[in-house]
Amino acid sequence: MASAYDDRPAGERSADGRPVSELISDALQQFSRLVRNEMALARAEVSDKAKQVLRGGAMLGVAAAFALPSLFILMLALAALMVEMGLAASLAYLVTAIIGFVIAAALVKIGLDRLKAEALIPNRTMNQLNRDAATLKERM
């Protein structure tokens, strides 16, 4: 509150008696604190997303280690069945290999779709930044 000895013109003080320079200083400090908080939120969210990708990759690696030998034996059994049904051995192995490649291509496509950049965007941080921007626009 302005004292009786405050000889500054009324235009240099706010409605509550605080100098304009103090109000600007407070606004800059609040803005700085807001930016730091948003950066911390973004860092935490990106860290969570990175951990999610690493865990998913590790699980895929372990699954592949178990699935590949089983798949190989299953494909050999399929080829042997085709040979028993009267198909030439070379043709039975070729048909089995083609089936294996089709399955592998489908799995690669699914895996790549799940690793697209859209799945890794820090959505919470983006939403918070949009809300902050809207709040700033309202107040200006």
Side-chain angles (χ1 to χ4, degrees):
M1 181 156 239
S3 69
Y5 300 107
D6 193 355
D7 59 352
R8 283 179 288 188
E12 291 182 18
R13 290 189 305 265
S14 67
D16 65 353
R18 292 174 42 192
V20 173
S21 60
E22 185 179 329
L23 292 174
I24 291 172
S25 175
D26 285 349
L28 289 174
Q29 287 175 354
Q30 289 177 6
F31 181 73
S32 174
R33 193 171 29 248
L34 174 67
V35 169
R36 280 194 303 271
N37 289 344
E38 295 299 337
M39 292 300 292
L41 175 63
R43 225 178 292 123
E45 191 169 359
V46 168
S47 175
D48 287 345
K49 296 285 184 177
K51 288 176 186 175
Q52 178 182 349
V53 168
L54 288 175
R55 282 191 299 265
M59 294 302 270
L60 286 174
V62 170
F66 282 101
L68 286 177
S70 301
L71 183 61
F72 181 71
I73 293 170
L74 182 64
M75 292 177 75
L76 283 175
L78 178 62
L81 177 66
M82 285 190 244
V83 169
E84 287 178 9
M85 293 174 56
L87 200 60
S90 58
L91 190 56
Y93 290 124
L94 178 64
V95 168
T96 305
I98 290 171
I99 291 170
F101 279 123
V102 169
I103 292 169
L107 292 174
V108 165
K109 182 179 179 345
I110 291 168
L112 290 176
D113 286 345
R114 291 189 180 173
L115 290 177
K116 285 189 178 178
E118 293 88 34
L120 304 176
I121 292 174
N123 293 321
R124 288 181 300 182
T125 301
M126 295 299 292
N127 290 338
Q128 184 63 42
L129 287 173
N130 288 335
R131 285 193 300 267
D132 292 344
T135 301
L136 284 174
K137 284 180 185 178
E138 287 175 7
R139 301 203 183 233
M140 293 189 134

